[in-house]
Every structure is written in structure tokens, then in C-alpha cells.
């Protein structure tokens, strides 16, 4: 089965700085998703990233704050820009099942990145 | 009304009992439904999917779907302390992308 990894696994950052989170899959996938999970909350979709096109952002999330790259079918990055303590959260990438991991509308999650902003 | 509603719990059941987790959703177009398990500090893990009305069994897990009532549930038989986790219901939205809409999750505590 596919392996999804994220880097870093956790980080502590200062207010006003930016952090880029990497998501790597060991097989090609069509769609990659970025979620945020704030403490004690469920998952909120930030954006959908397809290779070769601009990411599609959900309501309340903008490209200037969360720029996303998707250079190929196995890799994506999410940058959290100009961070504030409210950005402290777990950030998760997920991939769909089109590579044979599962059905096409199934999503599998990476281990997450725990971000703390001071 | 929230798009996906779950009782936050905690739902406490004794070891060996049946745990029943419920979920209602508002998007009538949703055709696919998933249950994820999330242990504290870990990422969600897919445990069940269901697409058709009725029951689907996989080991100790049974998912039940009633699209007319916009209701999906998960039964865990012979509950074990290792089943203690948050269970997230996630219908796929009816839009163009395969977007999952997550509920807030139900915390299950299985008492030994």
C-alpha cells in the first residue's frame, strides 16, 4: 500500500514567520488535499491540489495565507504564511485512491504536522 | 444546521459490548460515506466505507446507511479497550471534487 509522509512532523515557530510543510507519496496520485485540525476540533479542508493546475481553496482560506505547490503526482507543499498563534494546529495532507490504494473517492491521510506558533 | 452531525460523546461502553456510533448529514447528493478512527495525537485512519443503503460488515465493524433518512451509523461488536478513539463520519460532498465533509467526531471509551 502507498506510504504518505510529511515533513516536519512538528515545529514551533515565531509569530510573523512562515513554515512550509511537505507531503510525499510513494506512488502517483491525482488529487492531494490539505486539512487543518485545530485543538479539539474536527478536520477542515483548506484546499485541493491537482498537479498542473492552481489549488482550489475552501471558503475562509486564501492563497496568500496558504500557498500550495503541486509540482508532480507524488509531492505537494503547503506554506503557512505570516503565522499567528491562531495558526497553531495540526496540518494533514491526504491523497485520493486513484493510484490503486482504494476507491477513487477514498482518502488516506499522512501522519500530520503539529505546528505551534508563539 | 451543521453539514455532518455526530454526538461528541464520550460514549462509554464496557469491554465486549456493542458500541453504536451515529451520524446525520445534510447533503442529499452524497453517495459515498466513510468512517475514520483517530487515536489521540494521530492522523485519521480509514476503517469503513459504504455506498449503498443497508448494512456492510467488515470483521467486528458494521456500517449502516439510510440515504432517505440521511443517516449513517457504525456498530463495533465485542468492543475492546484498543477501540477507544474518536470516530469521524465523513460523507463525500456532491460537488465536482471528491471532498470529504467531516463531522466533529464521537469519542468512544471502552472500559476494561
Amino acid at each position: 500500500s502507498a506510504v504518505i509522509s510529511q515533513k516536519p512532523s512538528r515545529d514551533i515557530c515565531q509569530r510573523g514567520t512562515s513554515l512550509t510543510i511537505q507531503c510525499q507519496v510513494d506512488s502517483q496520485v491525482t488529487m492531494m488535499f490539505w486539512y487543518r485540525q485545530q485543538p479539539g476540533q474536527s478536520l477542515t479542508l483548506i484546499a485541493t491540489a491537482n498537479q498542473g493546475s492552481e489549488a482550489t481553496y475552501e471558503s475562509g482560506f486564501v492563497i496568500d495565507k496558504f500557498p500550495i505547490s503541486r509540482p508532480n503526482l507524488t509531492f505537494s507543499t503547503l506554506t503557512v504564511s505570516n503565522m499567528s498563534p491562531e495558526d497553531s494546529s495540526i496540518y494533514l495532507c491526504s491523497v485520493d485512491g486513484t493510484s490503486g490504494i482504494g476507491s477513487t473517492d477514498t482518502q488516506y491521510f499522512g501522519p500530520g504536522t503539529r505546528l505551534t506558533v508563539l | 444546521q451543521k453539514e455532518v452531525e455526530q454526538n461528541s460523546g464520550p460514549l462509554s461502553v464496557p469491554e465486549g459490548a456493542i458500541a453504536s456510533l451515529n451520524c446525520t448529514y445534510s447533503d442529499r447528493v452524497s453517495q459515498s460515506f466513510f468512517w475514520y478512527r483517530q487515536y489521540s495525537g494521530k492522523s485519521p485512519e480509514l476503517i469503513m466505507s459504504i455506498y449503498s443503503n443497508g448494512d456492510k460488515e467488515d470483521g467486528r465493524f458494521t456500517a449502516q446507511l439510510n440515504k432517505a433518512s440521511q443517516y449513517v451509523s457504525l456498530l463495533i461488536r465485542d468492543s475492546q479497550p484498543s477501540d477507544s478513539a474518536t470516530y469521524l463520519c465523513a460523507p463525500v460532498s456532491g460537488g465536482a471534487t471528491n471532498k470529504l465533509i467531516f463531522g466533529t467526531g464521537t469519542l468512544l471509551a471502552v472500559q476494561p
Side-chain angles (χ1 to χ4, degrees):
Chain A
S1 61
V3 175
I4 306 168
S5 61
Q6 285 186 236
K7 289 182 181 179
S9 59
R10 60 176 63 228
D11 206 342
I12 300 173
C13 301
Q14 296 297 319
R15 179 195 299 262
T17 62
S18 297
L19 175 72
T20 295
I21 302 167
Q22 300 178 4
C23 180
Q24 178 77 53
V25 190
D26 69 348
S27 58
Q28 294 183 342
V29 293
T30 302
M31 299 176 76
M32 297 180 80
F33 304 85
W34 286 99
Y35 288 84
R36 180 174 73 182
Q37 188 172 30
Q38 294 178 306
Q41 303 296 314
S42 190
L43 284 82
T44 301
L45 181 63
I46 297 172
T48 302
N50 291 336
Q51 194 267 335
S53 63
E54 293 290 324
T56 302
Y57 288 82
E58 297 299 306
S59 175
F61 298 96
V62 295
I63 188 171
D64 289 347
K65 175 67 175 177
F66 297 101
I68 287 171
S69 77
R70 181 80 198 275
N72 57 52
L73 292 173
T74 64
F75 186 77
S76 179
T77 68
L78 169 76
T79 299
V80 186
S81 303
N82 188 25
M83 288 183 286
S84 67
E86 291 71 35
D87 294 319
S88 297
S89 187
I90 298 172
Y91 291 85
L92 295 143
C93 74
S94 74
V95 305
D96 72 349
T98 52
S99 68
I101 302 171
S103 64
T104 56
D105 56 2
T106 307
Q107 287 185 29
Y108 298 87
F109 285 85
T113 296
R114 183 180 295 272
L115 171 62
T116 302
V117 184
L118 304 177
Chain B
Q1 181 189 4
K2 291 182 181 178
E3 292 187 84
V4 181
E5 295 208 39
Q6 296 182 256
N7 188 322
S8 62
L11 172 65
S12 183
V13 300
E15 184 174 355
I18 296 175
S20 177
L21 306 161
N22 304 315
C23 172
T24 58
Y25 59 93
S26 62
D27 186 352
R28 290 186 172 275
V29 185
S30 293
Q31 296 297 314
S32 305
F33 304 85
F34 300 95
W35 283 97
Y36 286 83
R37 176 176 62 196
Q38 187 173 27
Y39 292 111
S40 180
K42 302 295 185 181
S43 64
E45 171 192 10
L46 180 68
I47 54 172
M48 284 286 291
S49 61
I50 187 165
Y51 305 95
S52 303
N53 283 327
D55 295 359
K56 178 183 177 183
E57 186 174 320
D58 184 359
R60 294 187 297 114
F61 299 99
T62 298
Q64 299 174 318
L65 175 61
N66 183 327
K67 293 183 181 179
S69 300
Q70 295 174 251
Y71 173 86
V72 59
S73 67
L74 181 70
L75 300 177
I76 306 175
R77 289 181 300 281
D78 188 23
S79 296
Q80 301 297 309
S82 59
D83 294 326
S84 299
T86 296
Y87 289 80
L88 302 165
C89 170
V92 176
S93 75
T97 61
N98 295 332
K99 185 168 70 173
L100 296 180
I101 310 297
F102 282 89
T104 54
T106 297
L107 177 61
L108 173 67
V110 181
Q111 307 300 324

